[in-house]
Amino acid sequence: MAKIKKKIKTIRIEADKCNGCRGCEIICSAYHAEPKYSSVNPAKSRIHITTHRLKNIWLPVFAGEYTPAECMGRDTYIIDGKEYDECSFCRAACPSRDLFKDPDSGLPLRCDMCEGEERPLCVDWCLNDVLIYEEREEEVEEQVEMADVQAGVESLIDKFGLEKIVNTVARLAQKD
Amino acid sequence: MRYAETGYNLEIDLATGNIERVETDPKMMELHLGGLGTAVKLHWDRVPPETKPFDPGNLLIFSTGLFNGTPAYSANRTIVSFISPQTGLLAYPMMGGFFSSELKYAGYDKIIFRNKSPEWVYIWIHNNKVEIRDATHLVGKGAVETQDLIREELKDPRAEVAAIGLAGENRVFVASIEQSRSSASRGGGGAIMGDKKIKAVAVRGTGGVNLARGPEFMAHLKEVEAYINYRNTNPLPGVMTILSGIGSPQEMKHYDEKWHTESFVWGNARRRRKDFWTKDIEESWKKTQKEAIKRYISCYNCPQQCGALIGHKDTPGYMMKCFSKLTYGMAAYVDDLEFGFEIAQRAFEYGVDSFSTPQILAFAVELYEAGILTDKDFEGCPSDNAGRFFWLLDRMVRREGIGDVLAEGTYWAARKIGKGAEKYDHNTIKKHEQMNIKLGMLDPLYFLMYSTNEKISITQIEGNWPQAAFPNREDREAFVEDWPQIPDEKFKQYFLDWEPRGEKSNPYYPTPQMCAEIVDWMEMLHNIDDALCICAGMASFCLKPPYHIHNYPKLISTATGMDVDEAGLKKIVNRSRNLHRAYNNRLGMSRADEKPPEDHWRRRYPELEEELLTTYYTYKGWNYNGIPTKERLHELDLDYVAQDLEKRGLYQDGKDQKENQDNQD
Ligand code: SF4
Ligand code: SF4
Ligand code: SF4
């Protein structure tokens, strides 16, 4: 496959500065609402603040890829005297938790760096500079981006089997 | 579809265990907005004045406001309302933190509790699933501890929990409700919760809050954000540090406590220590505070960080807010800040109001020193100041020995103890401990704010108007130049002419008429905040705030879809304010109750004070007794209230109105 230059958008997280306001969750969910800004629901956000307040844990995590299966891990880590469970850092929408799944449809959510906007909105909304936007150019293999819809369909196939999904789609198509 | 509000209340009958999700009338939002406004209306409709605080019929309502759950910055208050065991009036302490947004996402604007549970319970609200669960295993647990225990039990780290500690369980009149980094503490909500045998309320929601015109709302909010950033980088000159920024003065970030420690009185609200703040103290306090603070934390969707996670030496972690770090130390005359961080942890676990409680304990110490309380009452009590306070706090919360009377607060304890103890109750208004700031000369604005507001609470309703005149004309000019928040241009002139000394100074300037107008402005803004559940620190409680009367209508209109302008908004909050007033009048409050403690200022002006009260009442459309007139109520579409007051004989054939008129002439 051909190599192309691609702008890579990333967000660096300085978790120690996070004050736990969850503002990033709000703006993310408002931006991704249909139509835009018609509602707010942090459960639909693609960033999530894991908190354990008395243990001094406030950890922003972005939604990553969808995984059809649970991982084998679940180890516990102690960092700076604070105890984290492995899932605290995990970005996956996985079967064992409802995180990064749309609460209505159960479909996985993934951070899309606020496609269409100049900068990720959560970065602008966080007035405490916890989320720092970074851009760099990289040579990457040209490949088709897996869109949200595709990830969603894949998760449905995992859940119900390919045949059921195909039949359902066919049935819906007939209705129109 | 409903916008900004969810349109549903949760009704829980604790006696029968009946739970209902009840759709509300959209008209209520038009008439009272939400939050405090609609809560007052519910109490008016459903709790007759014969109801006593611990009657099953006393409703306990947790209200979200119109803006909770929307992207509006700092919209995170939860208003808890009930008839207070301490004042006998309708109280509405509020807490920040995370509870109300979660409740909105679960699909409810309010939780309305009625009657009492036979056994200890906690409530678990998870979207449509609402359960009353057994809480017997949580009895005796701390209010902070309980929150985590419940989260573990529910296996839901995102559940927000409001809980009471031992004080609430024992119906201590100054018991608070604790939640995350905040508490609803004034007026004894914890006692009502305990009386109903609710140990905690846990909530988790994964639904959404809708905005009517989202993109427009966001555009207005962008302006608010720009102003927040501007104020955070440009503190106001010419005022003390804690007033120079926004937020609910960010006590945790400031080390300089000269102002609090020297302007507020120590002990039982008696004595100022004008040269307390030495270099040594400054250094040691700074060190203690720096070591204790593990992280600055904010409430839901707020860029400010008024609270902190505290990990002080061996004391278990907890979250500190406001200036509780000082209240116990000052009341106990302990000069070491470490004591403040230690006792606050215990007090938050017990769940007690950190303004009232230290005053009550100091009152007990004073009675002991005066020989009114005896060695028998203090048997087993350590003799050092710090030890005495821990000991008394334990007794009060457990209602053991002398603690049993102290549990009812200074006013009631003084009357129960007798033997002249009443003389030592000198810091309550309407039976409630007030801010222990005692100064030289009557301040007419504060006189009105202290005396007349239904908040009857520590912050009173101060905020947008500077606390004192600026000495230099140039500074005053600079201040008014950039003052878009004022509701009317005339206030600029009032401020320009206001001098620290001389003819145009306290107590005769601002004049009673001006005072009435200024106080009316303050309370208007507080009432808007309390309907929207915006933190007062970002609006009514601070100088030049991001939210004000000129941007609120735009935000409300775009959020709710109901078009409201400034006049319309003022009318709505006036309506709720007058309804609240009438409610308290119906509970027996009148002019005679509206006075600050006798020694609140050293120099008092009885005639001027009467004039202030009368002018203010007239301005508000109230009669001589401070009861809204029929005409005023009619203007506010509250004829049913006038009829009720009439029926109850609260108007004495128009005599009161006339007296007010005579007083004016
Ligand atoms: S907006 Fe920033 S400070 Fe607030 S929770 Fe998100 S990352 Fe933390
Ligand atoms: S970058 Fe955009 S999509 Fe990703 S978490 Fe932030 S707001 Fe959400
Ligand atoms: S200003 Fe402070 S108290 Fe107010 S909401 Fe923000 S963090 Fe909470």
Side-chain angles (χ1 to χ4, degrees):
Chain A
M1 239 183 256
K3 294 248 182 203
I4 51 158
K5 279 218 163 112
K6 195 179 168 202
K7 213 190 311 172
I8 307 280
K9 298 177 169 182
T10 57
I11 296 169
R12 185 157 49 91
I13 300 170
E14 296 201 5
D16 277 350
K17 289 192 197 156
C18 177
N19 63 19
C21 69
R22 299 176 60 192
C24 46
E25 297 180 3
I26 292 169
I27 191 65
C28 182
S29 77
Y31 178 70
H32 289 89
E34 271 303 327
K36 275 196 173 61
Y37 303 117
S38 58
S39 76
V40 177
N41 181 359
K44 296 190 178 205
S45 165
R46 289 122 207 257
I47 180 170
H48 165 87
I49 310 297
T50 296
T51 55
H52 201 310
R53 292 164 198 158
L54 294 179
K55 287 192 198 151
N56 195 8
I57 292 175
W58 273 267
L59 186 67
V61 181
F62 290 92
E65 299 301 334
Y66 149 78
T67 73
E70 295 174 8
C71 66
M72 306 289 288
R74 312 288 178 83
D75 289 337
T76 307
Y77 295 86
I78 306 214
I79 303 171
D80 267 352
K82 293 180 243 165
E83 194 181 305
Y84 299 84
D85 143 315
E86 194 168 27
C87 293
S88 308
F89 306 104
C90 181
R91 305 179 55 206
C94 102
S96 73
R97 56 178 188 182
D98 62 5
L99 199 62
F100 300 136
K101 284 186 198 142
D102 187 294
D104 299 328
S105 62
L107 295 178
L109 302 165
R110 188 167 153 264
C111 166
D112 60 3
M113 290 280 156
C114 295
E115 231 169 53
E117 292 290 307
E118 209 155 283
R119 280 156 54 84
L121 292 169
C122 55
V123 169
D124 283 342
W125 197 265
C126 176
L127 300 185
N128 288 296
D129 303 328
V130 177
L131 310 175
I132 297 149
Y133 182 56
E134 287 173 352
E135 243 178 35
R136 58 173 192 271
E137 290 231 313
E138 249 179 37
E139 290 227 316
V140 291
E141 299 252 314
E142 188 177 4
Q143 58 179 335
V144 191
E145 271 285 316
M146 193 176 82
D148 266 5
V149 181
Q150 191 176 333
V153 175
E154 279 192 3
S155 78
L156 287 175
I157 294 172
D158 281 324
K159 198 164 171 190
F160 301 106
L162 181 62
E163 203 184 316
K164 269 209 181 119
I165 300 299
V166 170
N167 290 342
T168 312
V169 173
R171 212 171 43 242
L172 285 173
Q174 270 173 10
K175 272 192 197 157
D176 284 342
Chain B
M1 195 189 297
R2 300 283 276 267
Y3 296 107
E5 58 178 6
T6 68
Y8 290 92
N9 288 340
L10 191 58
E11 296 260 1
I12 300 183
D13 185 329
L14 294 153
T16 62
N18 189 49
I19 299 170
E20 273 175 78
R21 179 172 174 263
V22 180
E23 191 168 357
T24 59
D25 183 352
K27 257 210 113 42
M28 279 303 116
M29 180 169 82
E30 287 165 32
L31 289 170
H32 298 280
L33 283 183
L36 176 64
T38 41
V40 170
K41 172 69 175 148
L42 279 164
H43 286 282
W44 174 274
D45 287 346
R46 292 171 52 178
V47 189
E50 299 72 36
T51 315
K52 297 279 166 274
F54 293 134
D55 285 352
N58 190 10
L59 291 186
L60 174 70
I61 303 182
F62 283 67
S63 293
T64 69
L66 211 49
F67 278 3
N68 297 133
T70 74
Y73 286 109
S74 317
N76 49 47
R77 263 40 194 176
T78 308
I79 303 239
V80 186
S81 52
F82 49 88
I83 299 178
S84 158
Q86 205 183 16
T87 64
L89 304 171
L90 186 64
Y92 63 105
M94 47 193 113
M95 52 192 179
F98 297 79
F99 190 86
S100 49
S101 40
E102 208 60 40
L103 187 61
K104 275 258 185 97
Y105 299 138
Y108 310 98
D109 295 321
K110 293 186 197 306
I111 317 171
I112 303 165
F113 290 108
R114 60 176 189 272
N115 294 327
K116 303 185 191 197
S117 166
E119 303 297 337
W120 283 102
V121 293
Y122 76 89
I123 317 296
W124 171 220
I125 302 165
H126 189 183
N127 298 325
N128 280 336
K129 210 174 110 221
V130 182
E131 292 170 57
I132 301 177
R133 298 172 66 123
D134 173 50
T136 39
H137 59 299
L138 296 168
V139 173
K141 300 277 190 240
V144 181
E145 186 188 9
T146 298
Q147 300 173 41
D148 266 0
L149 288 171
I150 289 181
R151 267 191 282 270
E152 266 166 45
E153 189 168 307
L154 297 170
K155 297 198 176 39
D156 197 333
R158 297 202 92 169
E160 293 299 340
V161 188
I164 55 168
L166 212 50
E169 288 176 24
N170 291 334
R171 306 197 306 183
V172 170
F173 284 13
V174 292
S176 60
I177 301 167
E178 302 288 323
Q179 174 256 136
S180 185
R181 47 140 297 164
S182 61
S183 51
S185 54
R186 310 290 284 165
I192 300 297
M193 206 161 141
D195 181 56
K196 298 195 177 299
K197 283 208 158 65
I198 308 168
K199 177 69 182 173
V201 185
V203 59
R204 167 92 165 98
T206 58
V209 172
N210 302 314
L211 294 172
R213 303 201 295 271
E216 270 179 73
F217 180 83
M218 296 306 287
H220 294 314
L221 202 59
K222 271 276 159 211
E223 290 167 21
V224 174
E225 180 191 311
Y227 193 80
I228 292 173
N229 287 333
Y230 169 75
R231 280 300 314 276
N232 278 344
T233 39
N234 294 279
L236 288 177
V239 293
M240 66 187 92
T241 328
I242 57 158
L243 296 179
S244 64
I246 46 178
S248 259
Q250 300 179 26
E251 282 310 312
M252 291 290 102
K253 283 201 174 159
H254 298 308
Y255 300 113
D256 181 358
E257 287 298 352
K258 183 176 169 63
W259 186 75
H260 276 130
T261 53
E262 294 188 351
S263 313
F264 288 43
V265 284
W266 292 61
N268 179 28
R270 288 287 177 147
R271 200 157 66 79
R272 277 172 77 184
R273 294 169 75 185
K274 287 188 184 162
D275 43 14
F276 174 76
W277 195 251
T278 60
K279 262 260 127 345
D280 284 353
I281 292 277
E282 184 171 351
E283 266 157 38
S284 105
W285 281 35
K286 188 169 177 174
K287 185 166 168 285
T288 306
Q289 188 162 326
K290 269 194 150 160
E291 280 171 8
I293 292 175
K294 298 299 163 236
R295 178 192 292 256
Y296 294 114
I297 52 179
S298 97
C299 303
Y300 186 76
N301 197 18
C302 181
Q304 306 309 103
Q305 302 161 17
C306 311
L309 177 72
I310 304 295
H312 177 69
K313 300 196 171 155
D314 300 334
T315 6
Y318 68 99
M319 287 163 273
M320 173 72 94
K321 56 264 174 178
C322 214
F323 86 128
S324 327
K325 68 176 188 205
L326 298 185
T327 52
Y328 287 93
M330 288 177 69
Y333 285 107
V334 177
D335 296 357
D336 189 343
L337 187 58
E338 302 219 351
F339 168 71
F341 283 117
E342 276 160 32
I343 196 164
Q345 187 271 338
R346 196 180 299 186
F348 289 145
E349 287 289 12
Y350 280 150
V352 282
D353 175 356
S354 40
F355 284 91
S356 282
T357 308
Q359 282 191 39
I360 299 165
L361 306 184
F363 158 79
V365 169
E366 195 167 285
L367 292 187
Y368 178 60
E369 280 161 359
I372 295 174
L373 290 179
T374 62
D375 284 335
K376 204 167 147 281
D377 297 311
F378 273 61
E379 207 181 313
C381 179
S383 57
D384 65 300
N385 290 356
R388 265 205 301 218
F389 254 52
F390 274 110
W391 187 87
L392 281 167
L393 177 64
D394 291 348
R395 294 293 152 309
M396 179 181 124
V397 162
R398 293 169 198 278
R399 280 185 174 270
E400 285 168 7
I402 188 63
D404 192 34
V405 268
L406 296 177
E408 313 213 325
T410 319
Y411 177 90
W412 295 109
R415 272 133 199 98
K416 279 195 174 168
I417 293 165
K419 295 184 276 186
E422 295 91 334
K423 271 216 328 265
Y424 296 81
D425 159 31
H426 59 88
N427 203 38
T428 57
I429 305 177
K430 297 171 189 162
K431 310 181 178 67
H432 183 60
E433 292 77 14
Q434 289 302 324
M435 193 54 138
N436 51 337
I437 181 157
K438 299 206 170 185
L439 301 163
M441 160 101 76
L442 168 85
D443 180 323
L445 287 164
Y446 277 77
F447 170 82
L448 285 179
M449 292 190 283
Y450 264 113
S451 318
T452 61
N453 200 263
E454 311 313 328
K455 193 172 258 176
I456 316 174
S457 174
I458 213 70
T459 53
Q460 314 302 333
I461 48 160
E462 64 190 337
N464 283 193
W465 179 261
Q467 293 192 359
F470 289 11
N472 299 320
R473 178 104 197 165
E474 304 83 76
D475 294 337
R476 298 203 287 272
E477 275 164 3
F479 189 85
V480 302
E481 201 170 292
D482 162 36
W483 205 4
Q485 292 86 352
I486 47 169
D488 193 299
E489 285 295 306
K490 69 185 172 197
F491 291 113
K492 287 188 178 169
Q493 200 56 50
Y494 294 178
F495 183 70
L496 283 172
D497 294 343
W498 190 23
E499 307 259 5
R501 256 162 218 89
E503 208 186 306
K504 294 228 162 145
S505 74
N506 285 4
Y508 294 106
Y509 191 94
T511 65
Q513 181 63 28
M514 291 171 187
C515 286
E517 292 168 4
I518 294 166
V519 170
D520 184 63
W521 155 22
M522 304 291 115
E523 55 183 26
M524 178 247 312
L525 209 66
H526 274 266
N527 284 319
I528 299 173
D529 287 353
D530 299 347
L532 305 177
C533 284
I534 291 272
C535 170
M538 298 298 262
S540 52
F541 193 56
C542 84
L543 286 170
K544 301 195 176 180
Y547 292 110
H548 45 79
I549 185 64
H550 309 303
N551 57 19
Y552 266 150
K554 294 189 260 180
L555 287 160
I556 295 170
S557 299
T558 49
T560 62
M562 118 189 138
D563 275 312
V564 13
D565 57 11
E566 288 181 20
L569 180 56
K570 284 182 191 164
K571 183 168 179 184
I572 296 172
V573 291
N574 263 324
R575 179 181 296 127
S576 302
R577 164 82 170 104
N578 277 274
L579 184 63
H580 198 158
R581 183 77 189 181
Y583 191 81
N584 279 343
N585 292 144
R586 210 165 79 156
L587 285 166
M589 187 187 79
S590 73
R591 184 179 184 115
D593 299 297
E594 310 234 278
K595 38 170 184 298
E598 223 167 281
D599 64 349
H600 191 76
W601 292 280
R602 252 191 339 276
R603 290 175 61 195
R604 297 292 285 261
Y605 299 78
E607 277 171 29
L608 175 63
E609 290 174 19
E610 288 304 314
E611 191 191 337
L612 277 162
L613 215 49
T614 303
T615 312
Y616 170 78
Y617 282 179
T618 309
Y619 187 79
K620 298 292 283 186
W622 301 346
N623 69 17
Y624 182 78
N625 270 327
I627 298 169
T629 61
K630 287 178 210 166
E631 296 73 27
R632 181 70 178 131
L633 292 170
H634 175 72
E635 274 166 30
L636 296 169
D637 317 303
L638 294 171
D639 290 312
Y640 65 93
V641 174
Q643 281 156 20
D644 184 275
L645 297 182
E646 172 111 77
K647 199 177 77 202
R648 291 178 192 276
L650 267 86
Y651 297 125
Q652 292 146 16
D653 308 326
K655 185 173 134 242
D656 306 329
Q657 274 126 295
K658 189 169 169 312
E659 268 176 49
N660 213 14
Q661 229 20 68
D662 293 348
N663 252 294
Q664 285 287 293
D665 298 339

